[in-house]
Each structure stands twice: as structure tokens, then as C-alpha cells.
Amino acid sequence: MIEPISETIDESTALLADPLHAALAAGMAVVLALGLHAALFFVLRRFARRTDESADDIVVRHLHRPTRLAFVVLALMMAAREVPELREVWSDIATFVLPAVVGWMALAILRALVEAAKLKADISVADNLKARRKRTKLTMFSRIATFIIVFVTIGLMLLAIPGVRDIGVTLVASAGLAGLAVGAAAQPALKSLIAGVQMALTEPINIDDAVVLEGEWGWIEDIRTTYVVVKIWDERRLVVPTSYFLEKPFQNWTKQTAQLLGTVFLHLDPKAAIGPLREEFLRQVAENPRWDGRVKVVQVTETTRDSKEVRLLMSAKDSPTLFDLRCDIREGMMEWLADNRPQDFAKLRLVEEVDADAPA
């Protein structure tokens, strides 16, 4: 009975030694990978801080976490080659983990490159049309590429699971009607996604464009693959499908340039003299810091029995500045008329004026 008992003890010890050996090898590989990763990025951070460019700091920051996982996976792969016990476990996990690591690395590189490229597209300057166009393209293509990377990564991870792959193959034959139903239900989303790609190519709008749509005036705050966020002037947000900008008319005040013309209309008495009014308007516009020095015109654009319409035309560098300029001029001209020429305000005539010198 002694020999069988000793053989049983040896077999039990061997069974316990196999997973213990694999766990020990995996632990050493992980510790070694984390230490090597920490040392490498310590050097990279010091190097990036010494440079004047911000792009290298962005790349180092975005790659830190995905590369740490990549180092661990690489270390486990190398350890699995040398330890047979670990190889059996790792072979089942690797097919699921490797696509996730590659996908995460691809996303990190994409985001780092896009963010670094956006540094060269400064939209805070006065003439920022080219910068806004570049930033819009980067944003759109980044989100489209992100969708593709995530879609492919999830597909590869699911294919690595035998049960999911077998179920998918089984359901293909009976998925005709279900595919039609899903396609019909997803039509609006697919339509908006395709519209997002078209917008990235045709550029009907860009980030920070001033637009008027659905009776609202605001700025393009964010452009997604399926919708656009418009920041209304009173700080509300209008969320619009991307297909809207390809199918419906809207006003884009900054398509070619941010410079705009604006008007103020005054309704005056038909007898009002335009000369003094024109001189005062030109003086007020010239002294206003919001005027960009391009256009300042006074014109009588309409006449009626009781009034005449005077248009004050002016220009500014962008739509918010123009709005404030129009308010300044409207207020200033109304006060000047009230103080200096109150008789020029339009009057409603109910009876004809009779000439006092005319014979009775």
C-alpha cells in the first residue's frame, strides 16, 4: 500500500506544480513588462518636456496606457513559448486579447496624430477660415476612422470565440428577413453616417461657422458622424442630423469669409433732411471700434405717403461683432434724432395740411 500512496502524492504534487509554475512565469513576465514600460516612458516624458513642441507630449500621453497593455501581452507571449503549462492557457486567451490590443493601439495613434494636427489649426485668430476647415476635416475623418477601427476590432474579437462564430454561421442562412428588418430600422442612422462622410468631403459647414437654420442663429459647435450640435446665441443647443445640411437650405454666414454687412433701418418723416443724418452716421461708425473700415453707406430705400425708409449699411469682421455694431448705431442714431432733430421722426397724417397764406 505504500507504493501506490507515494505515486498518488507525486501525481497530486505534479498537478499542483503545473498551474503554480504557469502562474509564477506569468507573474514574472508581467512584472518585467511593467518595469520596462515604466522606465521607457520615464525617459520619453523627460525628452518630451525638454522640447518646445507640444505634439510629442500629446503622443506620449495617448500611447502610455495602450502600450502598457501591449508590453504585458508581448511578455506573456514570450513566456508562453518557454513554459508549456502557460502556453496551453495563453493560446486560448491570445486570440481574444490580441485584436483588442491592436485596436486600442490604433485608436491611440489616431487620436494622438489628430490632436497634434489640430495644434496647427488655431481657430482663435481673426482670419481662421483655413484653420476651421482643417479642424473640421480632422474631426470628421477621425470619427469615421474610429468607427471603422472599433467595428473591425469587435468583429475580430467575436470571431475568436468558437461558439459565437458557429452561431453566426448557423444564422446566416435564416437571416434574410431579419437583415431586411434591421436594415429598414437602421436606415436613418446609416443615412446620417453617409451624410457625415459627404460633409467631410464637400464642407457645407465647418467648426465655428455662423449659421441660421430653423429660424435660429448660432455657431457650429461640434460635428459628429450622425449629428451636428449648433450653439444658439442664447446658449441653447440645437442638435440636427447631418443629413439636414445636405437636404435642406440654410444660411452659412462664414462659408468664404467671416466678414459681413449689416443694416439698420430708420423710418423718418418725408421732409427729413438726409445730409445731417448721413454726417452723423458716418461719424458714429468711424468712431466705433467694432467697425472694420470697409463699408458705411446711407441710402433711402423706400418711400410711402407718411414716411421714408433710410438704410444705414455697415460692415464688421464677424457676425457677433456686426450684431453689436448694429445695436450701437441704432441706439446712437435714435438718441441723436431725439436730441437734435425730433421733427424728423415719422408722423401719421390724418388730415391735409392747409396753407395759411392761401386765399379762403
Side-chain angles (χ1 to χ4, degrees):
M1 295 295 295
I2 297 177
E3 292 181 358
I5 291 174
S6 61
E7 291 177 359
T8 303
I9 294 175
D10 292 340
E11 292 177 358
S12 301
T13 305
L15 290 174
L16 292 174
D18 289 345
L20 182 62
H21 188 199
L24 182 62
M28 292 179 62
V30 170
V31 171
L32 182 62
L34 292 177
L36 182 61
H37 179 270
L40 176 62
F41 271 79
F42 176 78
V43 175
L44 291 177
R45 284 196 185 98
R46 290 180 62 88
F47 177 77
R49 289 170 184 169
R50 292 182 179 180
T51 60
D52 297 332
E53 296 290 335
S54 300
D56 47 7
D57 297 289
I58 294 173
V59 173
V60 171
R61 185 177 71 250
H62 279 82
L63 293 182
H64 179 262
R65 295 178 64 185
T67 52
R68 182 169 56 189
L69 179 60
F71 269 57
V72 171
V73 171
L74 182 60
L76 290 174
M77 291 177 60
M78 296 177 66
R81 293 181 179 179
E82 304 297 331
V83 181
E85 297 85 353
L86 181 60
R87 187 183 308 128
E88 297 177 0
V89 179
W90 177 249
S91 60
D92 297 331
I93 301 175
T95 54
F96 185 79
V97 174
L98 286 178
V101 174
V102 174
W104 194 7
M105 284 287 296
L107 283 177
I109 294 172
L110 173 66
R111 291 173 180 173
L113 294 177
V114 169
E115 189 172 339
K118 284 183 178 180
L119 293 177
K120 299 181 180 179
D122 185 11
I123 62 174
S124 62
V125 298
D127 187 10
N128 60 359
L129 180 60
K130 292 183 178 180
R132 289 189 292 107
R133 285 179 173 176
K134 183 177 180 181
R135 182 162 292 202
T136 302
K137 285 184 177 180
L138 287 171
T139 301
M140 293 299 298
F141 283 118
S142 170
R143 285 168 180 160
I144 293 171
T146 299
F147 173 80
I148 295 174
I149 292 172
V150 171
F151 182 80
V152 173
T153 300
I154 294 176
L156 292 176
M157 292 174 66
L158 292 178
L159 288 176
I161 305 175
V164 175
R165 184 173 59 247
D166 296 339
I167 292 174
V169 173
T170 304
L171 292 177
V172 166
S174 60
L177 295 177
L180 292 176
V182 172
Q187 184 178 1
L190 294 175
K191 182 180 180 181
S192 296
L193 181 62
I194 296 173
V197 178
Q198 290 178 316
M199 285 178 58
L201 298 174
T202 59
E203 295 183 356
I205 55 174
N206 293 298
I207 296 294
D208 208 34
D209 268 349
V211 296
V212 178
L213 70 162
E214 299 295 324
E216 301 284 1
W217 170 51
W219 297 268
I220 302 297
E221 184 178 41
D222 193 12
I223 302 178
R224 300 279 180 172
T225 51
T226 56
Y227 65 90
V228 176
V229 180
V230 181
K231 182 180 179 181
I232 307 302
W233 65 272
D234 57 1
E235 297 191 353
R236 290 177 293 142
R237 265 60 175 184
L238 183 65
V239 181
V240 185
T242 50
S243 57
Y244 179 96
F245 296 93
L246 299 175
E247 298 175 352
K248 297 184 179 181
F250 66 96
Q251 296 182 38
N252 189 337
W253 291 3
T254 52
K255 175 62 178 174
Q256 298 298 332
T257 177
Q259 297 174 339
L260 290 173
L261 299 179
T263 57
V264 170
F265 289 96
L266 301 177
H267 297 276
L268 305 178
D269 189 88
K271 296 181 179 180
I274 302 301
L277 181 74
R278 178 177 285 109
E279 292 178 3
E280 179 62 18
F281 167 72
L282 297 178
R283 183 190 67 79
Q284 289 191 20
V285 169
E287 293 178 357
N288 195 305
R290 295 187 173 94
W291 182 56
D292 63 358
R294 292 188 301 121
V295 178
K296 51 178 181 178
V297 177
V298 177
Q299 294 173 318
V300 178
T301 54
E302 186 62 73
T303 58
T304 65
R305 184 191 66 180
D306 297 319
S307 67
K308 61 182 175 184
E309 182 184 76
V310 180
R311 186 181 70 175
L312 311 179
L313 185 64
M314 64 210 78
S315 61
K317 63 179 182 179
D318 53 36
S319 56
T321 306
L322 178 63
F323 181 82
D324 293 336
L325 175 62
R326 292 170 60 203
C327 292
D328 290 345
I329 296 302
R330 186 181 294 111
E331 179 181 345
M333 293 303 297
M334 293 299 290
E335 289 183 353
W336 180 83
L337 285 170
D339 294 339
N340 298 277
R341 302 186 66 85
Q343 70 276 11
D344 286 349
F345 285 109
K347 306 175 185 65
L348 180 60
R349 290 173 169 81
L350 300 178
V351 296
E352 295 184 0
E353 296 182 357
V354 179
D355 188 356
D357 296 334

